[in-house]
Amino acid sequence: MSNSEEAFAEAKKVIPGGVNSPARAFSAVDNEPIFIEAGKGSKVYDIEDNEYLDYVGSWGPMILGYNHPQIVESLQGQVKKGTSFGAPTQVETELAELIIDAVDSIAKVRMVNSGTEATMSALRLARGYTGRDKIVKLEGCYHGHGDSLLVEAGSGVTTLGISGSSGVPNDIASETIVAPYNDLEALEKIFNKYQDEIAAVILEPVTGNMGVIEPHDEYLENLRKMTADNDILLIFDEVMTGFRLSYGGAQELYEVEPDITTLGKIIGGGLPVGAYGGKKEIMEYVAPEGPVYQAGTLSGNPLAMKAGAETLKLLKQSDVYASLEEKGAYLAEGFRNNIESLGIKAQISRVGSMFSIFFTDTEVVDYQTAQTSNTDVFAAYFNQMLKQGIYLPPSQFEANFISNAHTEDELKATIEANYLALKKVKKLE
Ligand SMILES: Cc1ncc(COP(=O)(O)O)c(C=O)c1O
Ligand SMILES: N[C@H](C=O)CCC(=O)O
């Protein structure tokens, strides 16, 4: 047994499935998780000190790479002062100001501890503000594990083929209406049927949790118009895309402003965090200013705020987004050349530094088409990459992330590994 196998066996005795989040389980790729000891830049090291070039990035937060010296230093400074007070600190205001400065649609923002809390709270706020109960979510989008949002969810729910409804009261699930991504006609029908009952539409503006899928041209603009025309709030879940696709997130990239935005991942610099923000008149509904209650013992935790603020300051000062776009384009072109020269049924989907490979020749535009990808081929591909020391998310229905720490040589090595892995899996098609 390897050290990771032993560690996994031990973990399974005391933790359900041996993992604290199902997405880490490796069961969809017929393998077992690697136990990580450390990370530095673009690399992670397992408990046997094997080195992996990493494209998981802690599922998104590590845009600057692991263990960035300035973030580590700022955390050390904060640890010495104290790790939690349950009282206001100035660093909460600092991070809020950085977010508001970056994201035009946010006038006020409330910090929470995870992306799940952010989306749950955003829904409660939308319901409290509009006085309506129904929510529209899009198939294959994942917004964390809140009751209202597990219906037809992506990420681990799709990876593990879980229905999403076990343990969720019918009365709650029935308030969620599901529509396909990239399909305005379906939404129009829903709006006509439930016109005065829908509080909000929530979506990942660019999806990552059914693999990366880009919105069709003008999809987000038209969605904005349709929701406004029907007095329905538009919630962009930018937990993954916020500060990832550009400093102002997907909404800056596509020039569409939602009413409420949810954030997480990058804004905590690798510590547990979430946030939701939006227009002033909507955010004024949040307690103690307004009637919508939401709270948290560790909300605005000074360590998370410090790491987040330091990360945003580093991102703001640099040309990181231009560089990530270049790296993403280089990697995607290399992968596409490999696919073409080997004649494999696969496609690369990429926006900025988020990308996925789908093993299908059907154009992937939504949840149904994402599911045409051959997950057996994906599993074999994943394992071939891992053997070559490339650590990818262990699921077809996740996004890969490039960080600012990835070098040109590392990207080149990844393209070479991709060629060899594709060559090996070709016979499985
Ligand atoms: C788009 C999106 N929303 C919400 C979440 C939930 O965030 P968390 O895992 O921090 O609860 C995630 C990731 O898990 C996500 O990718
Ligand atoms: N897809 C999820 C978030 O983006 C993966 C993280 C998790 O649920 O553990």
Side-chain angles (χ1 to χ4, degrees):
M1 264 184 146
S2 71
N3 292 1
S4 281
E5 283 167 341
E6 270 176 34
F8 191 44
E10 278 305 302
K12 278 197 285 193
K13 291 182 198 159
V14 289
I15 299 171
V19 288
N20 280 313
S21 193
R24 301 173 197 170
F26 274 55
S27 45
V29 291
D30 299 326
N31 207 333
E32 292 195 353
I34 289 161
F35 276 61
I36 305 292
E37 181 71 18
K40 180 92 196 114
S42 57
K43 311 257 179 57
V44 289
Y45 301 85
D46 70 12
I47 53 177
E48 265 161 293
D49 210 25
N50 294 310
E51 179 183 281
Y52 300 89
L53 181 55
D54 168 87
Y55 289 93
V56 179
S58 188
W59 305 92
M62 311 316 292
I63 190 166
L64 294 168
Y66 293 95
N67 247 337
H68 190 286
Q70 265 166 269
I71 297 170
V72 172
E73 197 184 319
S74 74
L75 279 172
Q76 284 166 338
Q78 184 60 47
V79 166
K80 284 183 195 145
K81 291 186 193 167
T83 57
S84 179
F85 308 109
T89 55
Q90 281 179 308
V91 67
E92 293 162 69
T93 312
E94 185 186 12
L95 182 58
E97 283 169 354
L98 282 160
I99 291 171
I100 289 164
D101 175 52
V103 185
D104 284 348
S105 69
I106 300 184
K108 282 193 172 189
V109 60
R110 167 60 64 81
M111 304 298 171
V112 292
N113 298 296
S114 68
T116 298
E117 264 190 72
T119 57
M120 276 166 45
S121 309
L123 290 195
R124 185 177 304 141
L125 174 58
R127 286 170 163 148
Y129 181 76
T130 59
R132 298 168 175 182
D133 286 342
K134 291 201 185 299
I135 297 292
V136 177
K137 89 167 278 285
L138 305 190
E139 272 176 341
C141 286
Y142 176 71
H143 306 290
H145 60 90
D147 280 350
S148 302
L149 291 168
L150 276 182
V151 189
E152 300 288 340
S155 188
V157 182
T158 299
T159 304
L160 302 173
I162 290 171
S163 78
S165 60
S166 183
V168 177
N170 279 339
D171 284 356
I172 294 181
S174 64
E175 297 294 1
T176 303
I177 306 165
V178 182
Y181 183 74
N182 263 334
D183 185 344
L184 291 169
E185 269 177 36
L187 270 184
E188 201 170 347
K189 284 188 195 141
I190 290 169
F191 285 6
N192 288 339
K193 188 163 172 197
Y194 297 101
Q195 207 177 11
D196 299 324
E197 296 172 68
I198 301 171
V201 175
I202 182 166
L203 76 156
E204 293 177 71
V206 172
T207 82
N209 287 294
M210 52 178 148
V212 175
I213 304 179
E214 198 173 4
H216 286 156
D217 281 352
E218 297 190 9
Y219 172 69
L220 297 175
E221 291 91 317
N222 288 328
L223 179 58
R224 174 64 285 185
K225 188 170 178 323
M226 276 171 66
T227 45
D229 289 350
N230 287 279
D231 295 323
I232 293 169
L233 297 183
L234 181 61
I235 306 175
F236 276 3
D237 180 354
E238 295 230 44
V239 167
M240 192 182 280
T241 54
F243 295 92
R244 162 64 61 182
L245 298 184
S246 77
Y247 192 63
Q251 54 195 272
E252 181 181 64
L253 192 65
Y254 295 95
E255 297 178 6
V256 176
E257 284 196 7
D259 300 297
I260 302 176
T261 300
T262 54
L263 295 165
K265 300 194 192 265
I266 289 175
I267 64 156
L271 276 84
V273 89
Y276 62 105
K279 295 179 175 163
K280 193 165 171 284
E281 65 269 26
I282 300 176
M283 292 308 288
E284 280 169 0
Y285 266 66
V286 178
E289 263 182 86
V292 176
Y293 197 74
Q294 179 274 308
T297 303
L298 288 172
S299 290
N301 173 265
L303 286 178
M305 299 296 103
K306 260 283 173 219
E310 202 58 42
T311 301
L312 298 202
K313 283 189 269 181
L314 286 163
L315 289 171
K316 192 177 174 182
Q317 283 159 12
S318 64
D319 60 354
V320 59
Y321 295 100
S323 159
L324 285 172
E325 172 58 30
E326 246 177 60
K327 290 176 188 185
Y330 175 74
L331 201 66
E333 196 196 336
F335 282 14
R336 286 195 187 108
N337 289 340
N338 292 343
I339 288 168
E340 210 180 299
S341 71
L342 289 163
I344 298 238
K345 242 196 280 174
Q347 59 195 272
I348 303 300
S349 178
R350 176 191 74 90
V351 181
S353 57
M354 285 167 56
F355 70 91
S356 290
I357 181 166
F358 290 106
F359 290 95
T360 174
D361 50 12
T362 302
E363 191 194 356
V364 175
V365 295
D366 58 14
Y367 192 47
Q368 301 302 328
T369 48
Q371 286 182 318
T372 65
S373 186
N374 187 327
T375 49
D376 292 334
V377 177
F378 176 83
Y381 167 77
F382 169 87
N383 285 308
Q384 287 299 329
M385 291 297 273
L386 193 63
K387 269 189 199 158
Q388 298 176 78
I390 314 275
Y391 184 64
L392 307 176
S395 165
Q396 172 67 83
F397 305 105
E398 296 288 356
N400 296 261
F401 299 99
I402 303 168
S403 81
N404 202 41
H406 285 84
T407 65
E408 206 181 317
D409 282 350
E410 288 168 350
L411 298 177
K412 198 161 167 259
T414 309
I415 293 169
E416 284 163 14
N418 168 269
Y419 180 85
L420 294 176
L422 290 179
K423 202 170 162 194
K424 283 257 164 72
V425 304
K426 187 172 161 55
K427 54 181 170 296
L428 296 176
E429 281 191 328

